[in-house]
Amino acid sequence: MKKTENSRLLDGALVRTASIEAFRKLDPRIMIRNPVMFMVEAGAVMATVISIHTGMTGGPDLSALIQITVWLWFTVLFANFAEAVAEGRGKARADSLRSTNKETQAKKLRNGEKTAVEMVASSRLSPGDFVLVEAGDVIPVDGEIVEGIASVDESAITGESAPVIRESGGDRSAVTGGTRIVSDWLKVRVTAKPGESFLDRMIAMVEGAQRQKTPNEIALNILLVGMSIIFLIVVVTLEPFALFSGTSIPMAFLIALLVTLIPTTIGGLLSAIGIAGMDRLVKANVIAKSGRAVEASGDVDTLLLDKTGTITFGNRMADEFVPLKGVTDREVAEAAAIASLADDTPEGKSIVELAGKLFDFRGDKSKLSKAIAFSAETRMSGADIGEDEYRKGAGDAMRAYAEAGPQVAELGRIVDGIAKSGGTPLVVAKNHKIMGVIHLKDIIKPGIRERFAELRAMGIRTVMITGDNPLTAAAIAAEAGVDDFLAEATPEKKLELIRQEQEGGRLVAMCGDGSNDAPALAQADVGVAMNDGTQAAREAGNLVDLDSDPTKLIEIVQVGKQLLISRGALTTFSIANDVAKYFAILPALFIAAYPQLGALNIMGLASPQSAILSAVIFNALIIIALIPLALRGVRFTPGSAAALLRRNLLIYGLGGLIVPFVGIKVIDLLINAVGLV
């Protein structure tokens, strides 16, 4: 995997494009967005002017001045290159999406009637218009299905080749412009203006054109600018001190000192870290509507998760056959399996499979003389073979249909026990005689308990949301390992829970797909909307999961954590870097006036000129050396905030102190060996 990531990072076309962009970004109107690097560019311009003047007048140290100037420009270019590489990776994905976002002809329905069709360009459609899309048609714009059911190919958006079903009503009624109808037809009400569709917003966000700086990023920028101003004041005051001491410091050397002392490393990589964080979400098939959402996901304290499809598989599966007294396990299993032979639901199939697994049952559907489908009125289903009747259904419905005989109390205990354990009891009868009970379970997904343990280690509280009764919810919550649950959940209860958590100072994340989830998605700090959900849900959330996988919420939190950790680690490394530069440059500037400062030359650098040049070269090279780390992100391992801080300080704090001493010394040896000074 690492090899693949590296090859993508060093792709020749991407590097060439990023190199060109690095020069284009030298435009001061672009550079001013990054004040730290703008200050470096201003220093490079001044150093260039000084070098030209020195060359014309025959001043001293011309070779050193030229080399310092060149490396100052490299420092700016390397920082621009880092940002350009990060943007380029997003633009490649955006170009792929843009190829699907083409002008198409739409079948507009006049007055909403299917019999009155007018062909118009998709750009002429407005919210509220109705369009007809049939097999083979491209859906022209975002919309809400008002009539029909169809199979839709969404591979252009999600990358998933299998078509999905979209239909009017329910939570699968939203369609995205650029997707294609595979079969049947849909009547769609337009919900987006031209140029403001979901795909348009995806393209803008993916390529970084509309990436807004997050609050933490803005705060860090302010800190970096503040530190830069402080160092600028310090450097400006050095020349008067030098004159007082009877010496003079060349202006280019002062510029070099300023550039190496201000936090250029993190200043040059900050934008790349933010863009790369969003790119990692894109790789996970999640589109962020704002950088704030990505960052907030890393600070989440409470995670709200739907039970069905997230914690459990969502389909109840047969787990056990429980007979009444006087009936064998095999008899219950065979009666349940025969009653389920014509039941094509996942639970019906699981009953037949369990009977085959436990008792080698081999039913033949062709031998059924009659199949009884489930209905909401009877609340039972089954089949007949000749004169024999086999039925299964809810407990109260089956009691009304059949006789339990003297085992009524025993049946009640079995049914109540299964319900309290979080399962669903289905009573089985043959010829109006109750045989036993099928224990259906909403199976917990494998590994989910361990994932919740990881989240708990990160200090994140998990809450399961379900429509089940409190007893069933409590049993499933205990088995899954969540910290809390909300039973019999309604939209109002979800919204109330989120507000309670936020009032307690906690950041909340949740996912949803229905219109009834929209208020809670809008209220949550991180609202993950499913792409196959309703338009209301997609508009309310600030993240959209193109795979419509509710478990993705856990992965999103990990990406957010990695973004924050990467930014913190590289900031720590950048600030720690400056210590070595003090020992390299300050003695070099004042050693002529104060020979005693030679004691601070602990690296044994050859000369003042080589010391300054080595520090400038290291300052430039370290930016490009850290580009892969900024783009890939610091490896994330679950743990408490205190443990993560200790790890950062040990690796990036201590590393930031040691690496520059080694690097500057090696560069000093090289430039003296080749006679550059």
Side-chain angles (χ1 to χ4, degrees):
M1 180 69 179
K2 287 182 179 179
K3 185 177 179 181
T4 304
E5 288 179 358
N6 286 339
S7 62
R8 280 202 297 267
L9 180 63
L10 300 175
D11 175 73
L14 176 59
V15 170
R16 285 192 297 273
T17 302
S19 300
I20 295 170
E21 282 294 301
F23 283 94
R24 190 185 67 80
K25 288 175 178 288
L26 291 175
D27 185 338
R29 292 170 297 182
I30 298 175
M31 292 297 300
I32 194 65
R33 299 172 193 166
N34 187 337
V36 174
M37 298 315 298
F38 178 75
M39 192 176 294
V40 178
E41 184 179 38
V45 170
M46 290 179 63
T48 302
V49 173
I50 293 168
S51 297
I52 294 172
H53 180 266
T54 303
M56 294 174 64
T57 58
D61 302 318
L62 178 60
S63 174
L65 288 175
I66 292 174
Q67 291 178 70
I68 288 172
T69 302
V70 170
W71 283 103
L72 288 178
W73 281 113
F74 277 159
T75 302
V76 181
L77 288 170
F78 289 163
N80 288 348
F81 179 79
E83 185 174 12
V85 168
E87 289 175 348
R89 297 169 82 191
K91 285 178 180 177
R93 166 77 171 174
D95 289 341
S96 174
L97 292 171
R98 192 176 281 109
S99 66
T100 70
N101 194 24
K102 297 177 180 177
E103 178 82 7
T104 59
Q105 290 295 305
K107 299 171 183 174
K108 181 180 177 182
L109 303 178
R110 292 195 295 270
N111 301 320
E113 297 294 332
K114 285 178 60 181
T115 55
V117 176
E118 175 188 1
M119 298 301 294
V120 300
S122 57
S123 59
R124 292 176 55 195
L125 295 172
S126 303
D129 288 344
F130 291 89
V131 295
L132 176 68
V133 280
E134 299 173 296
D137 291 347
V138 172
I139 297 174
V141 287
D142 293 0
E144 194 84 18
I145 302 169
V146 295
E147 187 180 343
I149 180 171
S151 179
V152 181
D153 176 8
E154 297 185 342
S155 58
I157 306 294
T158 66
E160 178 58 52
S161 58
V164 295
I165 301 299
R166 294 287 177 264
E167 59 185 321
S168 60
D171 295 339
R172 302 291 181 270
S173 60
V175 288
T176 304
T179 56
R180 185 181 296 274
I181 300 290
V182 177
S183 66
D184 301 294
W185 59 272
L186 297 172
K187 179 180 175 182
V188 177
R189 179 174 56 83
V190 176
T191 58
K193 295 179 182 178
E196 297 180 6
S197 68
F198 178 66
L199 192 56
D200 289 316
R201 292 199 301 267
M202 280 174 58
I203 292 168
M205 289 306 306
V206 168
E207 67 182 358
Q210 294 181 7
R211 192 185 81 88
Q212 300 295 318
K213 289 186 177 180
T214 62
N216 280 352
E217 195 173 349
I218 292 170
L220 183 55
N221 258 318
I222 293 171
L223 173 64
L224 298 181
V225 171
M227 292 175 65
S228 300
I229 292 172
I230 291 171
F231 282 122
L232 177 61
I233 295 170
V234 169
V235 170
V236 168
T237 60
L238 287 180
E239 178 63 11
F241 278 111
L243 292 173
F244 178 78
S245 304
T247 186
S248 179
I249 303 174
M251 180 61 72
F253 288 6
L254 290 175
I255 293 171
L257 174 63
L258 175 64
V259 169
T260 53
L261 293 187
I262 63 177
T264 50
T265 306
I266 186 60
L269 296 174
L270 192 57
S271 293
I273 294 170
I275 296 170
M278 297 186 74
D279 184 57
R280 282 193 289 276
L281 274 187
V282 170
K283 287 180 181 177
N285 252 9
V286 177
I287 299 298
K289 293 184 180 179
S290 71
R292 182 188 293 267
V294 184
E295 186 175 273
S297 64
D299 283 328
V300 161
D301 302 295
T302 303
L303 208 55
L304 307 186
L305 298 154
D306 274 332
K307 180 202 77 172
T308 306
T310 304
I311 295 172
T312 66
F313 282 107
N315 296 320
R316 298 175 301 174
M317 313 291 283
D319 184 65
E320 182 185 12
F321 299 111
V322 185
L324 292 180
K325 189 175 181 181
V327 183
T328 66
D329 293 352
R330 177 180 288 274
E331 289 172 329
V332 177
E334 289 182 352
I338 292 171
S340 303
L341 279 176
D343 185 354
D344 289 328
T345 65
E347 67 181 43
K349 292 178 180 178
S350 73
I351 292 170
V352 176
E353 289 173 4
L354 183 63
K357 179 182 177 182
L358 296 178
F359 303 105
D360 199 30
F361 173 79
R362 296 289 183 271
D364 187 351
K365 193 174 180 179
S366 64
K367 292 182 179 180
L368 299 181
S369 55
K370 185 179 180 182
I372 311 297
F374 175 84
S375 73
E377 185 179 348
T378 63
R379 298 174 64 210
M380 70 173 72
S381 63
D384 295 347
I385 297 181
E387 298 297 321
D388 294 328
E389 295 183 4
Y390 299 87
R391 300 289 185 271
K392 60 180 171 62
D396 53 350
M398 293 300 293
R399 286 192 187 98
Y401 165 80
E403 288 290 335
Q407 292 101 342
V408 172
E410 182 189 1
L411 177 65
R413 284 195 299 273
I414 294 171
V415 168
D416 291 345
I418 291 173
K420 288 179 181 178
S421 71
T424 301
L426 275 186
V427 177
V428 181
K430 177 182 178 182
N431 295 327
H432 294 269
K433 178 186 176 183
I434 292 180
M435 309 284 288
V437 183
I438 307 167
H439 182 179
L440 296 176
K441 286 184 68 176
D442 199 353
I443 306 298
I444 302 293
K445 288 185 176 181
I448 198 75
R449 189 180 185 91
E450 290 73 20
R451 297 194 77 175
F452 288 148
E454 289 181 7
L455 291 169
R456 196 173 296 111
M458 289 186 273
I460 297 174
R461 177 169 165 266
T462 52
V463 180
M464 181 185 78
I465 298 177
T466 177
D468 292 336
N469 63 68
L471 280 177
T472 302
I476 294 176
E479 185 179 354
V482 295
D483 299 309
D484 202 353
F485 65 88
L486 176 66
E488 298 175 342
T490 62
E492 292 78 15
K493 284 186 176 180
K494 293 178 188 177
L495 194 58
E496 182 183 355
L497 175 61
I498 291 172
R499 285 173 176 166
Q500 285 176 355
E501 293 289 323
Q502 290 172 333
E503 286 170 4
R506 291 178 285 273
L507 265 66
V508 181
M510 76 157 289
C511 61
D513 56 6
S515 297
N516 62 345
D517 291 323
L521 286 170
Q523 181 68 35
D525 300 285
V526 179
V528 184
M530 302 295 104
N531 186 48
D532 65 2
T534 62
Q535 188 72 19
R538 295 201 302 182
E539 291 293 337
N542 47 25
L543 296 172
V544 179
D545 176 20
L546 301 180
D547 295 329
S548 300
D549 176 10
T551 61
K552 193 77 67 67
L553 190 54
I554 298 172
E555 189 174 344
I556 290 169
V557 169
Q558 291 175 336
V559 169
K561 290 279 186 188
Q562 187 180 30
L563 171 64
L564 294 176
I565 291 169
S566 300
R567 187 184 294 156
L570 291 178
T571 301
T572 303
F573 184 89
S574 177
I575 294 173
N577 259 230
D578 289 342
V579 175
K581 297 167 191 173
Y582 301 147
F583 285 94
I585 296 183
L586 287 176
L589 293 177
F590 289 97
I591 196 167
Y594 302 101
Q596 299 88 342
L597 288 176
L600 295 179
N601 185 19
I602 58 177
M603 287 180 274
L605 303 178
S607 68
Q609 290 83 356
S610 70
I612 294 169
L613 184 57
S614 299
V616 172
I617 293 173
F618 175 84
N619 196 62
L621 294 180
I622 198 64
I623 292 177
I624 202 163
L626 291 174
I627 288 177
L629 184 61
L631 297 180
R632 199 178 299 119
V634 174
R635 187 172 63 87
F636 169 72
T637 52
S640 65
L644 292 174
L645 178 61
R646 285 195 299 271
R647 177 172 170 266
N648 266 5
L649 289 176
L650 180 63
I651 297 175
Y652 297 98
L654 187 59
L657 287 173
I658 296 173
V659 169
F661 279 96
V662 177
I664 291 172
K665 178 60 179 177
V666 170
I667 294 170
D668 180 73
L669 292 173
L670 289 174
I671 63 177
N672 279 281
V674 298
L676 291 178
V677 291

